Amino acid sequence: MNIENLIKEMTLDEKIGQCVQLPGNYFDKNGELTGPLEGYELTDDQIFMCGSTLGISGSAEIRKAQSFYLEKSRLKIPLLFMADVVHGYETMFPIPLAIACSFDPMQARKVAEYSAIESYSNGLHVTFSPMVDIVKDARWGRVMESNGEDTKLGVDFAKAYVEGYQGTSLDQKNTIASCVKHFVGYGAAEAGREYNTVDMSERVLRQEYLQPFQSAIDAGCKLLMTSFNTVNSVPASVNKWLLTQLLRDEMGFEGLIISDWTSIKECIAHGVCSDLADAGVQAFDAGCDIEMSSPCYYEGVKKAIEEGVISIEALDRAVLKVLSLKQELGLFENPYRGCDEPNKVLSDEHKQAALEVAQQSIVLLKNEDSILPIDKSKSIAIVGPNCSELDLNGSWTWKGHLDNNITLQQALQDYNVVFCGNVYTYRDIEHAEIVIYAGGEKSNMVGEAASRASITLPFNQEHEIEELANRNKQIVFVNYSGRPIDLSNIINKTSAIVQAWFLGTMTNQAVASVLSGDVNPSGKLAMSFPASGGQCPIYYNHLRTGRPYQKLNEPYKSRYMDIDNEPLFPFGHGLNYSNIQISQIEHGEKISVDATLKISINLENSSNVTGTEVVQVYINDKVATVARPVKELVAYQKVEIAANNVEHIDFEICLDDIKYVGLDNKQCIESGDLTLMIGLDSAHVYSANINVIV
Ligand code: GLC
């Protein structure tokens, strides 16, 4: 198809239509709704000229909707089908925050590859994933779909997801286009309150929040979604500095920019646009190619073109991007791309992959007296609000039907279970040697529009744990949650705590494999666990302040009167069933233009259990032109060490790894002293001084 010639045939209305995305229920009454839907009075022309839709799934449904649409399309330009395949299509994988705890980007790539296989054979063309927002506030419901608080992890995981979805080329089978989101800063919503104001310096934006997007762009993501929030007090979807000067000109993004659901129309509520037409003109002029689920482009762009406010060349450029993506996907030749492929959802291979990723994502937070793993001879009682819960997929579950999942009780059926239930008296469980308390949140308590002011355990769990502990019961707390939870009131009443997140279709098979010791847990926290919601936002790479708090009860220091500053569990924390220590560290003394810092490390496993550790390398720039974090992750490696064995690993750190964004908003580094820190989490580290020579 020669799309330049096709554009010449298109009317102005048809061109504007390609820049509009309508919800799937305009073409399929069962289309998934992922936002508020106002009933706009659209004409049939406007409906059948739109260039894309979202929320329709399944090869039969997409085949039906596409043929229905093409019958009405004058130029037979196929519709683009997009959807939120965030952590799986029908085989559900763990929520992305859990996958980030694997500290292994290959797990993310695997999730994206299997998600693409299932999405492709169900006719989808684009996924609104990865979400690469940096998040520091557990009160925000969407931390569950992020890669956590650290920029280095965010960069590595963004690349892995994009490459997993898109493969080497979209003309290959089992690939879908990736739409990275939400540009930018959405995760910094004040007070963790959904859709709330975001305000940060451009320097911090560049230092922490832009880098995962740059990584996705460098990996070739085809689309990027704007965020609901303001950036420098201008909503992202109408922010010309953000979308044109920064994203296009500086970051080099050449793909399609799509607004988030009605985020263009919402600029009226933000108070920067006067009406639908004004919002449409401002957004298009800012550089947003496609409007999702609101009629501003239909309301305002045509008149703006006729009056010369928007150039026809600008419109043709946007239309060319839309049609180029359709061409790259081969839709002009086959509008039913993938629909004839065998549907592999929930195949044994896919479920096995989901199980393995889930097992890598579980974080063992506490294991007093090695109560875990549980010997099958032990009698156990399973209680708590999630003891028989099937909905452990987490939010953004595309088509993950709950009957594909199993309960914890079913997963532990070959154990000596003396009781299972959420309603019980002590008599029911008094003969159990161990109580497994399946607690945490419900799946619908996280995700979009699910901020919580309190991040303690809901449903009276703390009281129940207290009651059980008062009877000297050994409690293994399994925390199913989509966010870090304030566990401070139960930490001293439980013998073990397993962070089980929401792990998708194979959640409880994975949890059972860890509880039994069939799998030695290896996850590490990608987001700090607060000791109180009052600490939020709390994150490991914070600034020192002018009055850093060093020891208990120092007056006039940056601290609280009622609790400590430290999180309950720090970034990078995670235990295992082995006994692995860093037994030797050797490293250079300097980094310079022509000398990298080489680090050699021995890891010794003095136990009889093969285990895996994540060695983390942090730096602190002691004196710089701007205040620098007390530590920043610059490198990490996940290593398996056989029982009673030693493994050797090496790192090489160069100047580019330690550059930072200076006052002029450009990358820089100066000569001086650097503290090198190495550990198995962010809180317990070996330190040494390194000299930087530039
Ligand atoms: C939602 C979300 C976004 C999602 C989009 C389409 O409001 O903010 O992440 O991709 O709408 O469903």
Side-chain angles (χ1 to χ4, degrees):
M1 165 65 72
N2 182 319
I3 48 181
E4 282 77 8
N5 290 341
L6 175 59
I7 291 175
K8 288 175 187 153
E9 291 180 55
M10 294 170 75
T11 65
L12 182 53
D13 288 330
E14 287 168 335
K15 290 178 181 179
I16 293 168
Q18 287 299 314
C19 300
V20 174
Q21 176 172 102
L22 294 179
N25 32 19
Y26 278 92
F27 307 101
D28 173 344
K29 66 183 184 312
N30 300 317
E32 170 113 352
L33 264 191
T34 55
L37 180 77
E38 284 94 311
Y40 302 116
E41 299 304 316
L42 297 180
T43 64
D44 260 7
D45 273 354
Q46 288 174 324
I47 294 170
F48 292 99
M49 285 181 186
C50 82
S52 58
T53 185
L54 76 159
I56 296 179
S57 77
S59 48
E61 292 81 354
I62 285 184
R63 187 181 283 284
K64 182 170 168 242
Q66 184 74 285
S67 51
F68 174 48
Y69 173 88
L70 286 173
E71 276 167 25
K72 308 254 188 177
S73 165
R74 181 177 75 89
L75 294 169
K76 307 302 175 199
I77 301 173
L79 205 51
L80 261 182
F81 288 84
M82 307 190 190
D84 295 277
V85 179
V86 174
H87 53 113
Y89 175 80
E90 191 154 343
T91 306
M92 295 313 300
F93 291 83
I95 57 174
L97 183 57
I99 299 170
C101 291
S102 70
F103 268 65
D104 179 4
M106 286 313 293
Q107 300 303 314
R109 183 172 181 131
K110 191 158 75 170
V111 170
E113 287 169 348
Y114 281 107
S115 301
I117 292 169
E118 296 195 0
S119 301
Y120 176 81
S121 64
N122 280 278
L124 279 176
H125 307 141
V126 176
T127 178
F128 298 125
S129 173
M131 186 272 218
V132 300
D133 302 300
I134 296 294
V135 298
K136 305 180 180 188
D137 196 321
R139 294 171 293 182
W140 192 46
R142 303 194 75 166
V143 299
M144 54 74 54
E145 56 188 287
S146 78
N147 299 310
E149 68 194 46
D150 179 70
T151 299
K152 165 70 178 166
L153 276 189
V155 163
D156 294 350
F157 276 74
K159 178 177 187 291
Y161 277 112
V162 171
E163 292 176 348
Y165 287 128
Q166 298 189 162
T168 52
S169 165
L170 290 180
D171 62 12
Q172 299 300 305
K173 287 186 175 182
N174 299 325
T175 61
I176 51 175
S178 166
C179 177
V180 66
K181 66 186 183 183
H182 307 82
F183 196 70
V184 66
Y186 184 18
E190 285 178 3
R193 197 181 83 217
E194 183 61 284
Y195 313 125
N196 201 7
T197 301
V198 170
D199 197 6
M200 68 176 77
S201 66
E202 183 181 334
R203 202 201 70 76
V204 167
L205 188 74
R206 289 173 178 275
Q207 177 71 45
E208 298 181 23
Y209 291 79
L210 288 184
Q211 296 188 44
F213 285 93
Q214 188 66 64
S215 176
I217 292 167
D218 295 345
C221 72
K222 298 296 179 183
L223 301 94
L224 173 142
M225 185 187 294
T226 61
S227 56
F228 292 117
N229 56 281
T230 51
V231 177
N232 197 23
S233 302
V234 178
S237 304
V238 294
N239 192 320
K240 188 159 190 172
W241 170 80
L242 184 72
L243 301 184
T244 297
Q245 190 177 323
L246 180 61
L247 179 59
R248 292 282 190 211
D249 300 346
E250 188 180 324
M251 297 174 73
F253 181 59
E254 296 178 349
L256 272 169
I257 301 173
I258 184 170
S259 68
D260 201 342
W261 186 286
T262 68
S263 63
I264 292 177
K265 172 180 173 289
E266 291 169 13
C267 293
I268 300 168
H270 275 290
V272 299
C273 298
S274 50
D275 56 25
L276 294 173
D278 180 32
V281 172
Q282 286 200 44
F284 193 89
D285 181 53
C288 194
D289 299 308
I290 298 178
E291 175 183 20
M292 183 194 293
S293 295
S294 53
C296 303
Y297 279 14
Y298 279 141
E299 288 291 322
V301 172
K302 184 170 186 178
K303 185 165 179 283
I305 297 259
E306 288 162 348
E307 293 174 353
V309 174
I310 293 175
S311 71
I312 188 64
E313 292 75 18
L315 179 60
D316 286 352
R317 279 195 298 273
V319 175
L320 180 64
K321 288 185 192 300
V322 176
L323 299 183
S324 299
L325 179 60
K326 295 183 180 184
Q327 185 170 52
E328 214 175 326
L329 287 159
L331 296 182
F332 289 104
E333 291 72 34
N334 178 12
Y336 308 104
R337 175 184 192 264
C339 290
D340 294 331
E341 284 300 304
N343 192 353
K344 296 175 186 164
V345 299
L346 293 166
S347 68
D348 290 346
E349 178 192 342
H350 290 202
K351 289 200 292 188
Q352 180 57 30
L355 174 60
E356 289 165 4
V357 175
Q359 290 166 338
Q360 296 279 324
S361 305
I362 291 172
V363 184
L364 179 59
L365 297 178
K366 178 184 178 183
N367 190 23
E368 205 166 68
D369 305 331
S370 300
I371 185 175
L372 291 176
I374 302 172
D375 187 289
K376 286 193 169 63
S377 64
K378 296 260 186 188
S379 56
I380 61 173
I382 308 171
V383 297
N386 287 321
C387 66
S388 303
E389 180 60 62
L390 280 174
D391 184 3
L392 300 168
N393 289 341
S395 182
W396 297 109
T397 289
W398 183 223
K399 294 186 73 174
H401 306 299
L402 301 185
D403 52 15
N404 300 322
N405 302 2
I406 66 171
T407 66
L408 183 58
Q409 181 185 11
Q410 289 167 316
L412 292 172
Q413 59 190 356
D414 57 354
Y415 267 81
N416 175 16
V417 179
V418 297
F419 178 84
C420 179
N422 188 22
V423 179
Y424 58 94
T425 65
Y426 185 67
R427 183 174 298 282
D428 294 324
I429 62 169
E430 62 186 345
H431 299 303
E433 291 167 279
I434 291 178
V435 172
I436 296 178
Y437 191 98
E441 297 179 304
K442 292 300 180 183
S443 187
N444 63 6
M445 296 175 81
V446 284
E448 184 174 356
S451 290
R452 290 177 63 206
S454 163
I455 56 168
T456 55
L457 288 167
F459 320 125
N460 204 23
Q461 294 174 66
E462 291 182 359
H463 173 71
E464 275 195 65
I465 298 283
E466 176 107 33
E467 288 297 302
L468 289 168
N470 288 342
R471 291 175 161 82
N472 307 318
K473 273 297 163 196
Q474 284 208 312
I475 302 167
V476 172
F477 188 82
V478 180
N479 189 40
Y480 298 93
S481 71
R483 58 161 54 86
I485 296 289
D486 169 6
L487 299 170
S488 54
N489 289 334
I490 67 151
I491 187 166
N492 295 323
K493 301 186 177 75
T494 52
S495 302
I497 300 177
V498 176
Q499 179 57 29
W501 302 112
F502 291 118
L503 298 169
T505 305
M506 306 300 280
T507 293
N508 279 321
Q509 291 93 328
V511 170
S513 67
V514 166
L515 294 178
S516 67
D518 292 346
V519 167
N520 192 347
S522 62
K524 298 282 186 177
L525 290 179
M527 190 173 179
S528 307
F529 264 56
S532 161
Q535 292 179 319
C536 293
I538 183 170
Y539 45 99
Y540 85 94
N541 47 351
H542 57 80
L543 300 186
R544 194 177 303 284
T545 78
R547 295 193 176 189
Y549 174 52
Q550 305 291 355
K551 56 183 182 299
L552 209 52
N553 292 332
E554 275 183 304
Y556 303 108
K557 295 292 183 184
S558 178
R559 56 176 290 228
Y560 301 99
M561 294 299 286
D562 48 354
I563 62 169
D564 199 355
N565 289 1
E566 296 314 307
L568 192 63
F569 297 109
F571 174 83
H573 171 77
L575 306 176
N576 54 56
Y577 297 146
S578 305
N579 181 10
I580 298 169
Q581 301 299 328
I582 295 177
S583 56
Q584 184 179 333
I585 298 178
E586 291 175 359
H587 58 79
E589 302 296 324
K590 70 174 184 175
I591 302 181
S592 65
V593 174
D594 47 22
T596 59
L597 173 67
K598 292 181 177 57
I599 303 169
S600 290
I601 290 170
N602 282 350
L603 284 158
E604 183 175 2
N605 180 357
S606 56
S607 75
N608 298 322
V609 181
T610 294
T612 301
E613 264 295 357
V614 178
V615 179
Q616 301 152 47
V617 179
Y618 298 90
I619 60 153
N620 164 246
D621 192 342
K622 289 180 177 178
V623 179
T625 54
V626 297
R628 307 278 293 115
V630 294
K631 62 188 67 154
E632 286 174 295
L633 183 69
V634 291
Y636 56 94
Q637 281 186 50
K638 190 165 189 174
V639 191
E640 182 178 85
I641 304 99
N644 301 307
N645 214 324
V646 175
E647 279 298 330
H648 177 86
I649 57 172
D650 295 305
F651 291 93
E652 198 162 350
I653 311 293
C654 67
L655 276 183
D656 276 349
D657 295 325
I658 61 171
K659 283 183 175 174
Y660 68 93
V661 177
L663 278 174
D664 59 358
N665 287 325
K666 290 182 173 40
Q667 291 277 329
C668 66
I669 186 71
E670 304 91 10
S671 298
D673 286 341
L674 199 69
T675 302
L676 169 71
M677 291 164 273
I678 300 168
L680 303 180
D681 65 44
S682 62
H684 308 89
V685 292
Y686 155 89
S687 299
N689 188 70
I690 301 294
N691 194 242
V692 178
I693 303 160
V694 297

